[in-house]
Amino acid sequence: MSDAAGTGGPVYETEQPVRYERRDDLAIVSLDRPRFGNAQNAQLLYALDEAFARAAADEAVKAIVLRGEGRHFSSGHDIGTPGCDFGASWPDRRSLWYDHVGTAGAETNYVREQESYLGLCRRWRALPKPMIAAVQGACIAGGLMLAWVADMIVAADDAFFSDPVLAMGVPGVEYFAHVYEMHPRIAREFLYLGERMPAERAYQLGMVNRVVPRDALDDEAIAMATKAAKAPRFALALAKQAFNQLEDLAGKRAGMDAVFSLHHLAHAHNQLTGDWLGGVRADAIKQR
Ligand code: ZN
């Protein structure tokens, strides 16, 4: 889908923003918008969902590696490339939320983000096969959401993590896992200051499992996934469910629902006060 008709809609630089490969027991899923730091537009998110659905359904696939092409894992949600498609309609939605296009007021963002941000992340977290995220360079805001839904994270030594969205007037990304990924004291620092957290510190805090040299990143992620894949499939699926269920019993799901409401109070407030410029204040983020 491109803007060939000149309708003023998104102009996609590629028809395939996600690459899917089968390698032995593994599915290797690559974000493939390197020109834009693998920014996540809806085109990419739905291609990613398709790749995960394919990996889930393929009996030969025992584990998944999620990686990004180019210098960066993901610069976050697409808030300003020619392929930014906030306003596009997605008929092939994965939840039962209706189309956000044609809605107004606070409804538009709420419906769109229930489906394509919170909804898709939860769906991917529930994928009954282990997923290893291989993170290099920037892992910013929406990038965190992709890394955090993985079971394990291996980071290159040049990786950094940040959630700078307070500058956009919202209290963190839509998938508010911050307090489950790091100590709440550190999570406050992470969010309030919006600073880059280097891979090494993320490792010390337990947010990532391993840090390796940049050129060893893919091999390490593949080695971890290959090892996990040796366990019996059903036992692995149950182990994954065990962690997810216990996290949710400890409040992860309900907590995120509560914060999602605050997130949308902020979006609505920004709309009311006129501080909402087409959904973004990228300039404010760059100034941090
Ligand atoms: Zn939002």
Side-chain angles (χ1 to χ4, degrees), residues 94-128:
R94 307 306 200 260
S95 75
L96 295 178
W97 279 98
Y98 43 87
D99 192 351
H100 68 283
V101 173
T103 60
E107 188 179 14
T108 307
N109 279 322
Y110 191 83
V111 169
R112 185 175 66 79
E113 295 192 354
Q114 276 282 3
E115 152 71 20
S116 62
Y117 293 165
L118 188 60
L120 286 179
C121 280
R122 282 181 165 167
R123 184 171 144 86
W124 299 336
R125 172 176 176 256
L127 198 168

Side-chain angles (χ1 to χ4, degrees), residues 77 109-110 112-113 117 168 170 172-174 260 263-264 267 276 279:
H77 295 139
N109 279 322
Y110 191 83
R112 185 175 66 79
E113 295 192 354
Y117 293 165
M168 291 169 65
V170 288
V173 288
E174 291 80 8
F260 192 74
H263 181 94
H264 281 276
H267 276 321
W276 177 260

